[in-house]
Amino acid sequence: MTKYLKYILILVLFILPLKVSAIGTSKYYVDVTVNEDGSATFKEMIIFDGSYNYLKRNLYLKGNTKTFTGNYASDFYNTDIYNATSITNICASSTSRNISDFSYIKNHDTCFDIVTNGYSGMHHKYELNVDNNDYNIIVYHPSSYDKAFYLEYTITDAVVIHNDVAELMYNFEWSEVIEDYQVYLHLPKESHTFRIFSHGPMQGENKLIDNKTAYAYWEYLESDTKTDIRIVFDKSLVPQGTKKSNVSALDKIVEYETKQAEIQNNLREQLKEEIKNNAIYYTEYASKHPSRENYNNAIYYVDQLDDEELKKELQTTLNKVLEEVIRKEKIARNISLTLTILWILGLCYLTYKFYKKYDKEYKSLFTNEYLRELPASYGPEILGYLLTKSNIKSEYLSASIMELIRKKSLKIDDTYSNNKKFKIIDLKDEKVDENLTSSEKLLKKWFINEVGNGEYVTDSDIKRASKNDYEDFLSSYRSWKNEVISVGESMNFYEKNGGKKALYCLYALSGIAIYILCVAIYPNSVFPFILVPISIIAMIYILTSSKKTPKGNDDYVKWMAFKRFLLDFGRFEEKELPEIYLWEHFLVYATTFGIADKVEKAMNMKIQEYKLDTNSSYIPYFYTRNIMINNIINNSIQTGISKAQSAYNAAHSSSSSSGGFGGGASFGGGGGGFGGGGGRG
């Protein structure tokens, strides 16, 4: 079954439609206030989509290497005059509210504690790392806590003071998509000369709200997109500013920005012409090849047209295309739905037919509720095979050891064994050993000769072997299980129907093919998606189902009646119970059923109730210590197998490494002023 499941799961990974929600930054709000000393206070609110452990914000103060002279218009962009020297008043925090405006930024008054060495999973903490002029802030607060990060800091010499005006330039870059990026910039007082310029993707916009407030936004930013914002204002508003250029700047700034605007306008005109050509081309193509995809491609460009007359003409054409698309989709949807329903009906019919033929058990001739004697003479491990087929459990192994003790091939050393330890001695009785089954001989050889010293085996031997010789230990365990399965198969308990299942498997697998066909016919159909899980469930059912032979089912029914007898042992009168010397044998099989503790308790109560002679040579060993020793042996074996398997997995597992994503990089000369980036971790 494990083998089949492995292949099915691999198939699922390739076939199942995986819908992964986009991971990005849904909102990034920045509120900037220019101070009279030439510094600028930044307040940022960041809301991530998806999961995260921490926020990483990188602030680079000296991203510009070109020397400022003030002689040319180009000096007023991307030169060292726009660098800064330090950051102060850092505050990191968060909020559980879903921020939709700047209200929380204005009212914020709490900060996290700073730590030296943070780690993923930590919360309500932040870490600050300074490398020359790069400030890296990591805010540790996983997504399982709050929904938004808050950062506040002050750039000490952000403002440049020229002879005629002052200006602030701020650049930004982020490592993931931002769906909504907004920036407010505030002056300490009203300014007679107040302008704003911004650079970045063309879908952005900037404006002056009043004489002391400016605003810029981009409705969508791709990851690693560079933007910058410049405001120019009266230098009298920053009387304590210290970073001075000693040149007049306004004319050169306007000259530079005018040239940039011309470049942007030319790009906009080119873009408008490109949109127009694409709108005409894709509309014509959609008319000739009507489909939802072609319609969407065309309407995307048509909606962006400035030419209203052309836009109306193309929309009229596309309305006819849409009508044809809807008509075709209706036909495709009906075909897809019909194929899905027909396949499901076929599967229901074949599943019922399969159940009747290959899963429904034969009717047993045995109908009694209880069976007070052993239904068969095979050992407890073979009973385990009958119960679970090839899923041979460790309990069956300990039951087999108890059977060897009952047969007097092995013996518990009373002088050594206690409630924590045991010692099992080989009695070396050749006459007894000749009559052991093949699986019992293999088990005895393994435990006495390989795990033990050839004379006996102890709990310490099992611990040592499972730790130091885990590969041999597991190999012998597998050999014993395989022998039990081999003997079980020879008992003809189960029908061999593997090859006969091929047709049913093929039909179940065809559900995935039908799903692919339905998606190809009508991609928007939801109903066919159920075909994949139904197909997989049907495959698992077909491949894992088994049917007992008439003999196997008859044995199974009798063993279940025997199990009911053991569970209700305490309810029977003395005359209804078998001879007491059989009780120990019954306990061996109770171990296989997993009910030995309950049965042993009921038997001991009967011994006391009927005042049976405990000195009799027939009194079973369980009366004093059988179950205790059985539990110790079973626990020791289970622990040994588990530890050996863990050691094996650790030794054979391939090394792997993984990491998150996040971080940012400076503009490397590509931005206007100080700035930074960042991301999540």
Side-chain angles (χ1 to χ4, degrees):
M1 177 178 175
T2 304
K3 178 178 71 175
Y4 291 135
L5 283 176
K6 179 178 72 174
Y7 293 131
I8 290 172
L9 288 173
I10 291 172
L11 185 65
V12 172
L13 290 175
F14 282 101
I15 298 299
L16 264 178
L18 300 177
K19 294 186 177 180
V20 181
S21 48
I23 295 179
T25 303
S26 62
K27 292 180 174 64
Y28 202 120
Y29 293 160
V30 183
D31 191 83
V32 185
T33 300
V34 174
N35 303 311
E36 292 185 354
D37 62 356
S39 65
T41 300
F42 289 76
K43 299 178 180 181
E44 302 180 354
M45 185 66 66
I46 307 106
I47 302 177
F48 287 133
D49 296 318
S51 60
Y52 49 83
N53 284 309
Y54 55 82
L55 161 74
K56 187 173 184 180
R57 184 71 169 97
N58 304 326
L59 298 169
Y60 312 114
L61 301 186
K62 292 188 177 180
N64 306 295
T65 57
K66 182 182 176 182
T67 302
F68 175 82
T69 64
N71 297 325
Y72 309 99
S74 60
D75 281 344
F76 294 87
Y77 189 81
N78 191 29
T79 53
D80 58 4
I81 193 71
Y82 296 105
N83 290 336
T85 56
S86 65
I87 299 175
T88 61
N89 303 325
I90 295 173
C91 174
S93 186
S94 69
T95 176
S96 59
R97 289 178 288 178
N98 187 11
I99 304 301
S100 57
D101 54 37
F102 284 73
S103 60
Y104 185 76
I105 292 179
K106 296 174 183 177
N107 301 325
H108 182 81
D109 60 359
T110 60
C111 301
F112 290 167
D113 294 330
I114 190 170
V115 294
T116 303
N117 294 306
Y119 54 85
S120 293
M122 180 182 284
H123 58 91
H124 291 89
K125 306 290 182 184
Y126 80 95
E127 178 182 328
L128 174 64
N129 299 303
V130 182
D131 182 11
N132 293 324
N133 292 287
D134 296 344
Y135 287 70
N136 298 317
I137 303 170
I138 304 176
V139 185
Y140 294 99
H141 208 61
S143 51
S144 56
Y145 287 88
D146 295 331
K147 300 300 181 185
F149 286 99
Y150 173 83
L151 276 179
E152 182 178 330
Y153 53 90
T154 298
I155 307 295
T156 55
D157 51 350
V159 176
V160 180
I161 303 171
H162 305 293
N163 290 344
D164 49 354
V165 292
E167 68 166 320
L168 168 71
M169 182 173 286
Y170 160 68
N171 65 60
F172 177 76
E173 180 181 8
W174 198 243
S175 66
E176 60 186 41
V177 167
I178 301 177
E179 297 174 10
D180 181 16
Y181 179 60
Q182 301 183 42
V183 181
Y184 278 92
L185 302 104
H186 308 278
L187 299 177
K189 298 177 182 178
E190 290 188 349
S191 172
H192 298 293
T193 303
F194 191 19
R195 300 190 182 186
I196 181 172
F197 309 95
S198 60
H199 306 114
M202 285 186 289
Q203 74 270 25
E205 184 178 317
N206 65 62
K207 61 182 178 180
L208 297 179
I209 295 177
D210 52 38
N211 288 337
K212 58 182 295 187
T213 308
Y215 173 74
Y217 86 94
W218 281 268
E219 63 183 17
Y220 184 85
L221 289 176
E222 290 284 357
S223 59
D224 302 315
T225 299
K226 299 176 182 179
T227 66
D228 59 60
I229 301 170
R230 184 208 306 255
I231 55 172
V232 178
F233 51 92
D234 296 345
K235 71 173 187 176
S236 60
L237 300 185
V238 284
Q240 302 168 30
T242 58
K243 187 165 63 174
K244 300 182 179 182
S245 68
N246 299 314
V247 298
S248 295
L250 183 58
D251 290 343
K252 289 186 172 61
I253 290 174
V254 171
E255 178 186 344
Y256 178 85
E257 294 296 345
T258 301
K259 185 176 180 180
Q260 294 301 311
E262 290 174 356
I263 293 172
Q264 290 297 316
N265 288 335
N266 289 335
L267 288 174
R268 284 190 178 93
E269 289 302 318
Q270 292 175 18
L271 180 61
K272 286 168 65 175
E273 187 65 25
E274 184 179 334
I275 288 172
K276 177 182 176 180
N277 293 336
N278 284 337
I280 294 171
Y281 170 79
Y282 282 108
T283 299
E284 291 176 352
Y285 188 83
S287 299
K288 295 176 183 178
H289 309 282
S291 71
R292 178 67 64 172
E293 181 182 2
N294 293 339
Y295 170 81
N296 289 338
N297 288 338
I299 201 68
Y300 171 78
Y301 291 106
V302 170
D303 285 343
Q304 297 180 63
L305 287 173
D306 290 336
D307 187 335
E308 291 298 327
E309 185 176 344
L310 177 61
K311 185 176 184 178
K312 186 176 180 180
E313 178 186 340
L314 295 180
Q315 283 177 336
T316 301
T317 302
L318 288 177
N319 286 339
K320 295 178 181 178
V321 172
L322 183 59
E323 289 177 3
E324 178 63 15
V325 168
I326 292 173
R327 187 187 69 82
K328 287 185 173 182
E329 285 181 346
K330 186 175 180 180
I331 295 172
R333 182 173 62 250
N334 291 337
I335 293 173
S336 174
L337 183 61
T338 301
L339 286 174
T340 301
I341 293 173
L342 287 175
W343 183 86
I344 291 175
L345 290 174
L347 181 67
C348 291
Y349 170 73
L350 287 177
T351 301
Y352 174 73
K353 197 174 175 184
F354 177 87
Y355 167 74
K356 292 275 288 184
K357 196 169 185 179
Y358 301 117
D359 196 24
K360 186 179 180 182
E361 299 292 356
Y362 295 102
K363 189 173 182 180
S364 175
L365 297 176
F366 184 84
T367 58
N368 295 344
E369 183 180 4
Y370 297 111
L371 183 61
R372 294 174 177 80
E373 59 186 23
L374 292 174
S377 60
Y378 42 78
E381 73 281 7
I382 306 304
L383 168 59
Y385 174 84
L386 174 63
L387 297 177
T388 58
K389 206 172 180 182
S390 57
N391 183 24
I392 306 302
K393 302 178 181 178
S394 60
E395 293 96 312
Y396 306 162
L397 193 152
S398 56
S400 188
I401 289 177
M402 298 309 294
E403 176 68 355
L404 288 172
I405 294 171
R406 189 196 67 80
K407 286 182 176 181
K408 296 187 171 42
S409 176
L410 300 176
K411 178 186 177 182
I412 297 290
D413 186 348
D414 292 331
T415 62
Y416 179 89
S417 301
N418 55 39
N419 60 354
K420 292 184 179 180
K421 298 181 178 181
F422 66 84
K423 181 178 183 180
I424 302 175
I425 302 171
D426 183 4
L427 294 177
K428 297 187 181 298
D429 189 326
E430 294 182 3
K431 187 176 290 187
V432 172
D433 291 348
E434 283 179 3
N435 296 319
L436 297 181
T437 65
S438 58
S439 60
E440 288 174 337
K441 289 177 181 178
L442 190 63
L443 175 59
K444 185 175 178 180
K445 177 186 175 185
W446 170 27
F447 266 79
I448 298 299
N449 295 335
E450 296 177 13
V451 178
N453 61 4
E455 300 292 333
Y456 58 82
V457 64
T458 67
D459 58 292
S460 299
D461 294 329
I462 295 176
K463 290 179 183 177
R464 175 194 50 75
S466 62
K467 180 180 179 181
N468 300 333
D469 304 316
Y470 55 85
E471 291 199 10
D472 291 340
F473 190 86
L474 288 176
S475 177
S476 296
Y477 179 54
R478 285 191 291 267
S479 296
W480 176 80
K481 289 204 299 184
N482 291 336
E483 182 62 26
V484 172
I485 293 170
S486 177
V487 174
E489 288 175 347
S490 70
M491 301 293 290
N492 194 32
F493 288 144
Y494 290 91
E495 291 184 345
K496 296 179 173 67
N497 295 320
K500 299 174 184 177
K501 297 179 180 180
L503 178 63
Y504 298 92
C505 286
L506 212 56
Y507 187 85
L509 194 62
S510 71
I512 296 174
I514 296 295
Y515 157 73
I516 295 172
L517 178 61
C518 288
V519 171
I521 293 172
Y522 185 56
N524 295 327
S525 179
V526 176
F527 196 60
F529 280 68
I530 67 173
L531 293 178
V532 175
I534 290 175
S535 180
I536 292 169
I537 291 169
M539 283 284 290
I540 293 173
Y541 167 65
I542 292 167
L543 292 173
T544 57
S545 62
S546 60
K547 184 174 183 177
K548 299 179 187 69
T549 61
K551 173 189 179 303
N553 191 56
D554 197 56
D555 275 18
Y556 179 82
V557 171
K558 290 177 180 178
W559 279 110
M560 290 300 101
F562 179 69
K563 180 181 179 181
R564 286 192 292 273
F565 162 67
L566 294 179
L567 286 171
D568 293 343
F569 195 90
R571 295 171 50 192
F572 290 94
E573 298 295 333
E574 181 181 5
K575 62 181 179 180
E576 298 177 292
L577 297 174
E579 294 293 334
I580 194 170
Y581 72 90
L582 294 172
W583 294 12
E584 187 172 29
H585 201 184
F586 289 178
L587 270 175
V588 172
Y589 291 91
T591 302
T592 300
F593 285 126
I595 58 173
D597 287 351
K598 294 180 181 178
V599 177
E600 184 265 349
K601 184 178 179 181
M603 288 180 174
N604 279 333
M605 286 178 63
K606 285 297 180 185
I607 290 173
Q608 296 172 12
E609 180 182 348
Y610 297 123
K611 298 180 180 179
L612 298 176
D613 184 6
T614 56
N615 295 316
S616 168
S617 59
Y618 292 109
I619 196 69
Y621 186 67
F622 71 83
Y623 181 69
T624 53
R625 305 184 63 196
N626 191 315
I627 296 304
M628 180 189 73
I629 295 297
N630 182 31
N631 288 338
I632 297 168
I633 293 172
N634 190 37
N635 290 338
S636 180
I637 291 170
Q638 286 184 334
T639 302
I641 292 170
S642 177
K643 288 186 176 180
Q645 190 64 59
S646 298
Y648 180 87
N649 292 339
H652 291 78
S653 62
S654 56
S655 60
S656 61
S657 61
S658 61
F661 69 96
S666 68
F667 286 4
F674 59 84
R680 78 178 73 198

